[in-house]
Each structure stands twice: as structure tokens, then as C-alpha cells.
Amino acid sequence: MKDFSEKLLAWYDQHGRKDLPWQHAINPYRVWVSEIMLQQTQVKTVIPYYQKFMASFPDIQSLANAKQDAVLKHWSGLGYYARARNMHKAARMVCDDFAGIFPKDLEQMQLLPGIGRSTAAAILSISGNQKQAILDGNVKRVISRVFMIEGWSGRSETLKEMWSLVEELVPDQRNADYTQAIMDLGATVCTRSKPQCENCPFQSDCLAYQQNVIEHFPAKKPKKKLPERYAVMLIIQDHHKAVFMQKRPPVGIWGSLWCFPQFDDEMLAQEWLREYFLLKAKGLLEKSKKQEQLIHTFSHFRLTIQPIIINLPLSSDLKTPLNKRVMETDDSLWYNINSEFSGGLASPVQTLLNKLK
Ligand code: SF4
């Protein structure tokens, strides 16, 4: 279609969003933060997070200088925490290796952690009006419908076909507006369910619309049942209403976030309690309160969490005073549930803490 970009830009001039927080004072840093937050997350969810983040880390230097816990705290609730850890690493790389200035080259930009081809292109296009093509979820949806592209975009042949198409469509002029426009169209008109075809600039060109098969595009990922896993979380409370928290290892699920002690089963939890808290022979699990199970779905498995509240006896009931045995370290602490927590929390942990409060 020859006039794809003209039609899209004409629509954008009239209907595009031009007042989002990251559309002001545009620079690569602000665009980058918005692009990362918007991955897998809707605009209305992102806006308050973005504003808080920018208030605390207004530029790349302030982000690079921040502690990882402070960055993760700003991400608490947004999910996909690897995004935040990668941003923090990338900020340090930009400051250390690129003198604090984002690279202007597509390949170099992709050397930064968490920045793939489409995100790099979006940053260069929106902040520098470079002629670059993007291919995020919104764009995939629009083009797969307009051009009826068969096949799931996770297949390498389909992805290749999509990339070559978006590269052909990209205009020589007004690239920043074009990039914004195609994302907007996917987010506001050509939506996942109930697209508003009557308001779409491509209504007369869109093959899926013309053939009344929109619901078949984009092709869905072939279904595979997610593996199930189980975990026990111990909510250990002392008589001052402080709970015991541990920091997760930096890699793996909820990397570097704070969680309750977590185990694969109750026997392991029991052993740890004996070992760590030096409890008398009869552990506390028998007297503990099992809470309602929580289910948390990750992209690659479903986790059933069994929370168990353990109310610790006064230290005189224990073989060793607690405060001698369970010291606060970089990776563990007692948190008073009525105060503000200063690190990032995994979302089920946040849910459980809210219930405790
Ligand atoms: S006509 Fe409908 S399905 Fe086709 S691109 Fe427009 S909104 Fe999407």
C-alpha cells in the first residue's frame, strides 16, 4: 500500500495522543523509560509510575547513581522486574561507557541491557526523528490485520516478514510522528478486542476487515499448558508485628525483590525453621495458620503459593534469643508492617502484606 504512512499521519494529526507525560521535554532518556514501562503494560497503568520515577530519577545520571532497591521500589506492582534491573544496568553502562549520552546508532543502542531492536528504533525515532521502523505488539496487530499476515509472530519466518514490511512502510519524513502514530492506532483503534474499524484510516484497505476475519489476526501463539509449581511462603511474625523478609538472589524470578522465606514444600520449611530459628523440638508449623492459597501466573509457569503465618513465641521460649540468631543482614530484615518498605516487593508478597495490615 503506497499511501500507508500518509493516511496514518493524517489520522494522527487529528486523533493521535499528544499529551502523554513522555511526550513533553522529549529526550532519549525519557523516551527510553516510557518505552520500557509500556512493554506489556497499558498507558493508564504506566502514567503514575512514570511520573514518580521521573520525579526521583530525572536523568540518566540520577538513575545510574541510585541503589537497586530504590529503583525496584519504584517498579513495585508493574511486574516483569527484569525490566527495572536491566534499566539500572543500562543507565550505568551509558554513564560509564558512553559519557552519559545515549548512543545514536541502532546497533550500539541494542548493546544496552533490555533494549531490543524495536525499543532501540522507537527511542531513536521518537527522540531524534531518525528513520527507523518499530515492531512492538501494537504494530504487529495492525499490520497483521491490514495485510492479513498469517502465522504467529513468535515464528522466525513470520517475524522476518513483518520486519521487512514495516521497513518498507516507514516514511522519509516525520518519522517520530509516524512511530507515535502507529503505536497509537494499535492502542486506541485497532485494539485487541472490539477494534473500532469505523474510526480507522485503513478501513477501506484492511484485508482482515474486508474479509470479515479480524478475530483470526494476529495469529495466536499455539497453546501449551503452563507447568504448575508449588511454593510455601512463611510469614514469620514476632510479637511486635514485625515480619521476617529475605532478599531474592539477583537472577531468577523476582530477582533482588524482597519476599517472605520461600520453600518448595512444608517439610523444607519446617527444617529451615528448626535450623534458622533454633526452635524447640516441636516446630511451629503444626500450630501455624495456613492462609488461603494464591495463584501467580508467570509467562512460563503457574505458581500456587501456600502462605503460612507463624507467630513466634517470645524469645524466652526459644533455645536461643532470636535477635542473636537471626541478624539483620544485606539480604534479610525484620520489617514492621506499619512502616513504609524501602525496597521492591514481589506482587504476591505485597498482596499478603496488605492482608496482614
Ligand atoms: S480496519 Fe479494523 S482491523 Fe483493520 S486496521 Fe483498522 S481497526 Fe484494525
Side-chain angles (χ1 to χ4, degrees):
M1 199 196 309
K2 274 198 193 130
D3 53 358
F4 186 91
S5 62
E6 282 95 335
K7 282 187 173 173
L8 186 61
L9 283 164
W11 171 85
Y12 176 73
D13 288 338
Q14 272 204 300
H15 305 287
R17 296 175 294 187
K18 300 174 189 83
D19 211 18
L20 296 168
W22 43 90
Q23 292 176 312
H24 300 289
I26 290 177
N27 64 34
Y29 174 72
R30 289 175 58 83
V31 175
W32 170 54
V33 174
S34 72
E35 284 298 317
I36 301 293
M37 284 190 171
L38 286 165
Q39 288 167 2
Q40 329 271 351
T41 316
Q42 291 194 341
V43 165
K44 68 174 189 303
T45 310
V46 164
I47 289 174
Y49 279 92
Y50 182 82
Q51 286 167 330
K52 262 183 141 173
F53 197 91
M54 280 300 152
S56 301
F57 313 117
D59 50 34
I60 189 100
Q61 197 70 54
S62 52
L63 180 59
N65 292 342
K67 288 217 162 87
Q68 191 190 49
D69 258 354
V71 179
L72 288 172
K73 181 179 163 62
H74 282 73
W75 215 269
S76 276
L78 264 184
Y80 301 97
Y81 294 91
R83 294 183 294 175
R85 292 192 298 272
N86 280 334
M87 274 182 69
H88 192 219
K89 273 190 228 152
R92 291 186 168 173
M93 260 176 88
V94 171
C95 289
D96 294 347
D97 303 344
F98 296 97
I101 297 165
F102 267 94
K104 292 194 169 44
D105 172 80
L106 189 69
E107 306 295 324
Q108 273 196 334
M109 179 82 86
Q110 289 174 77
L111 297 176
L112 300 173
I115 301 190
R117 178 172 168 188
S118 184
T119 305
I123 299 168
L124 293 171
S125 162
I126 296 173
S127 68
N129 203 29
Q130 266 192 37
K131 185 177 174 185
Q132 297 288 355
I134 66 157
L135 186 58
D136 68 359
N138 285 321
V139 181
K140 284 177 186 167
R141 187 162 58 253
V142 173
I143 61 161
S144 74
R145 287 173 175 170
V146 174
F147 299 96
M148 269 181 57
I149 299 176
E150 306 275 351
W152 170 53
S153 64
R155 284 176 63 235
S156 61
E157 306 87 75
T158 313
L159 192 64
K160 229 167 129 188
E161 185 186 348
M162 287 182 165
W163 270 115
S164 71
L165 180 59
V166 288
E167 280 177 342
E168 268 174 44
L169 295 172
V170 88
D172 293 328
Q173 313 279 328
R174 296 189 63 194
N175 193 272
D177 286 347
Y178 173 86
T179 296
Q180 194 64 62
I182 196 158
M183 292 195 293
D184 271 13
L185 189 80
T188 63
V189 175
C190 192
T191 44
R192 209 172 302 233
S193 58
K194 299 200 186 105
Q196 298 167 33
C197 302
E198 62 288 359
N199 299 325
C200 176
F202 301 120
Q203 195 184 22
S204 57
D205 313 284
C206 176
L207 297 176
Y209 177 78
Q210 300 298 334
Q211 300 185 26
N212 200 17
V213 288
I214 297 169
E215 69 276 14
H216 298 301
F217 294 87
K220 294 195 176 55
K221 182 180 179 181
K223 273 222 166 100
K224 220 170 78 188
K225 201 172 174 296
L226 284 179
E228 301 279 346
R229 290 195 204 163
Y230 177 80
V232 171
M233 277 191 189
L234 294 183
I235 305 171
I236 303 168
Q237 248 181 344
D238 71 6
H239 55 285
H240 301 299
K241 292 279 175 210
V243 289
F244 186 64
M245 312 277 290
Q246 289 181 320
K247 197 176 199 178
R248 307 267 313 174
V251 287
I253 62 163
W254 299 320
S256 297
L257 297 185
W258 289 87
C259 277
F260 299 117
Q262 185 181 319
F263 306 90
D264 290 345
D265 58 40
E266 289 175 26
M267 221 171 73
L268 289 170
Q270 175 91 43
E271 274 172 23
W272 178 85
L273 271 175
R274 281 207 191 100
E275 158 75 14
Y276 210 66
F277 284 88
L278 289 185
L279 296 174
K280 285 179 180 169
K282 272 274 168 207
L284 290 177
L285 269 191
E286 291 82 355
K287 297 182 212 153
S288 61
K289 290 182 230 155
K290 278 195 181 174
Q291 302 291 294
E292 202 183 320
Q293 292 186 340
L294 297 182
I295 301 206
H296 191 83
T297 306
F298 294 92
S299 54
H300 50 305
F301 67 94
R302 246 164 61 103
L303 183 67
T304 300
I305 298 165
Q306 175 61 68
I308 302 180
I309 295 187
I310 309 274
N311 288 308
L312 283 180
L314 291 173
S315 55
S316 56
D317 296 340
L318 302 168
K319 280 184 184 167
T320 307
L322 274 181
N323 54 2
K324 282 202 183 144
R325 177 72 183 160
V326 187
M327 303 290 284
E328 297 216 337
T329 66
D330 283 350
D331 298 327
S332 62
L333 52 80
W334 287 96
Y335 161 54
N336 183 322
I337 58 172
N338 296 316
S339 61
E340 211 195 324
F341 194 75
S342 60
L345 292 164
S347 78
V349 173
Q350 183 73 69
T351 307
L352 291 167
L353 280 171
N354 291 344
K355 279 191 188 173
L356 274 185
K357 287 175 189 174

